[in-house]
Amino acid sequence: MSTTLRDPHHPVAHLRPPRNWINDPNGLVFHDGHYHVCYQYNPYGATHANMHWGHFRSPDLLTWEPLPIALSPNPDGVDADGCFSGNAVSDGDRLVAFYSAHREDRSFQHQPVTCAVSYDGGNSFRPRGELLIPELPEGCTMYRDPYVWQDGEGWRMLVGAALADGRAAALLYDSPDLENWTYRGPFAARSPEPIGGTDLFTGEGWECPQYLPAADGPGALILSTWTEPTGPMRVAALIGEEHDGHFEAGPAVPADHGPDCYAPALLRAPGDRWLLWGWSWEARDEAWAVADGWAGLLTLPREIHVHDDGTLRQQPATELLALRGKHIVHAEGETHGSQPVDLGSVGRAFDLTARLEPTGNAGLRLLTTPGGSEYLDIHLDADTGELVVDRDHSSLDSRARGGSYRMPCPVGRPVDVRVVVDHSIAEIFLTTTGQVLTLRFYPTGQSPWRLQARTAPGTRLGFAVDAWELHPLVIKEPSTSAAEPAPASP
């Protein structure tokens, strides 16, 4: 991906434009043989402002073509101050993008739905020019982020909301033609409650609701939790089934156990496969990101489904195995005592698999400075039954955030993990259970990184670790028509 070689934190295998701010993935759709991925984009800088929709498409998730900006605010229109989040559907020969129309003269919390249509494979979109759903339902204190999907011969839409009675909600609409929409009430609504196994809550409002239906068994409603005055928090899921226009589900569970994944969006791929991308925000001071000229990236595309046991499971899309290059680490054995075992060197972008068989607390350490003062730890806590990812020592730069994050992990049997590290992002997939934890980190070390197996005193760790270089995505050079907009007064 085209970027300055002097920036050690810019990813190579995660989708984003070369510069400027991005946030939520939008408009994810498979159309005419291509995956389309749009995203919230500020073409004028590395801060959250001037929201447009940037746009890539790919035939295979590996080679990406930048397309012209899909949506731009109309200074005199219903979206004068931003084309905010939404999704897109394929309808015959056209793509229809649904999004939140933002104007400063409306409440920031009230972002009504509008749409735009493309008849040329996403190269250009014609905005509707007026609101698709002009009136908000009574009792909404927040309203945004449409998600539309086909249901039989008709169409349905969810919109994220907060209600005056204190509940967060996903509101349901239906339509026979994508044009005329009827409000059916809350699809799901809850007062703030704990997200299972964490000290986090489901929030006062829900952003970017995404529905993963299932032909048989349970489906999932994926939600980005929002709370005043903090704003965006974490990603949760409700696992359940729909009955008469209402989603009946059990307690909320984490959809990503890390601190740096938000606003994930779904794409229904060929073969009845579902893919998900999330926004991974920066975990460093804003001034640092602005100075570097970019902020935010999209996670790896993930295959996602609800397992027979009712758990939400994710793994990197199968196509990403083609990004594996040279096999740089192959290590099998076990630790003896508390002395760390060196497993080998890795670069700044690698894909790792490990089978770990500990008798107590043990795990892997990624050392990013020669003296070992800077490192990222991934270890099993046998006392609590959790996989822990600790970034408190992952950067010697004080402008980077720390923190330790956990996801449940079975004990007493081998544990399989897959770790994809790409310069400043780590996505840790607990293959054993299908859970995932996403975080950002900003190593300062310039020498080759090293992997170690480490154990607590009195503990033994059996390990089998393999790592491959991670090749960059292929990003085609944009055509003239896909160039950045001319500089303008934001």
Side-chain angles (χ1 to χ4, degrees), residues 233 366 368:
M233 298 293 289
L366 174 64
T368 53

Side-chain angles (χ1 to χ4, degrees), residues 250-302:
V253 297
D256 190 298
H257 293 263
D260 299 322
C261 180
Y262 194 73
L266 291 170
L267 183 152
R268 186 167 193 166
D272 205 28
R273 180 177 63 151
W274 288 88
L275 300 177
L276 176 144
W277 281 259
W279 164 39
S280 190
W281 50 40
E282 297 300 313
R284 55 178 173 167
D285 285 357
E286 181 181 285
W288 184 0
V290 169
D292 283 351
W294 65 276
L297 53 87
L298 300 186
T299 67
L300 297 174
R302 303 170 180 176

